[in-house]
Amino acid sequence: MKFSNGRTAAIVFAAGAMLASSNIAYAQCGRASWYALGSRTASGERMNPSALTAAHRTLPFGTKVRVTNSRTGKSVIVRINDRGPFIRGRIIDLSRAAAQRIGMVSSGHAPVCMARA
């Protein structure tokens, strides 16, 4: 495709970037960590380290996502019930039980990919 000026190319590029970023909530790869506090979550629930739950910055509470550890290939389906993580480069915080299922408790964090379940 040939563009007559830089403005048209910039508009097409920006539209493509917006479409790509709108899918971030559906499929995303990055780093995950885990937590096991006894406090209340942002949704109002008490944090239960034995439940298969997670914190995400923007997904609606109740959303279920499959999180796969890129190192082990193990995956788990979790329900979003909290906000976070608040550490740069991390895309999701898992409960201890969820982290244990995908084999990342001892390391504390792991590379993962996640998608809506």
Side-chain angles (χ1 to χ4, degrees):
M1 184 182 287
K2 191 173 185 179
F3 295 107
S4 59
N5 62 37
R7 184 173 180 210
T8 305
I11 291 170
V12 170
F13 176 77
M18 284 184 354
L19 287 173
S21 68
S22 68
N23 288 330
I24 288 175
Y26 298 100
Q28 191 175 15
C29 293
R31 298 203 60 82
S33 53
W34 66 271
Y35 69 118
L37 303 173
S39 60
R40 294 230 177 251
T41 64
S43 67
E45 297 176 39
R46 181 162 296 286
M47 169 48 170
N48 179 356
S50 301
L52 298 178
T53 56
H56 189 272
R57 288 184 195 98
T58 58
L59 286 175
F61 296 137
T63 302
K64 292 188 177 182
V65 294
R66 177 181 302 276
V67 180
T68 304
N69 184 330
S70 300
R71 287 188 193 133
T72 65
K74 294 179 180 179
S75 65
V76 64
I77 294 177
V78 295
R79 181 177 52 85
I80 303 300
N81 73 337
D82 203 2
R83 291 291 170 232
F86 300 108
I87 297 175
R88 187 180 177 141
R90 296 196 185 160
I91 61 169
I92 195 164
D93 273 340
L94 302 173
S95 65
R96 187 179 201 288
Q100 194 164 21
R101 290 252 177 120
I102 64 171
M104 61 170 267
V105 171
S106 61
S107 64
H109 52 85
V112 299
C113 288
M114 58 177 259
R116 281 193 193 223

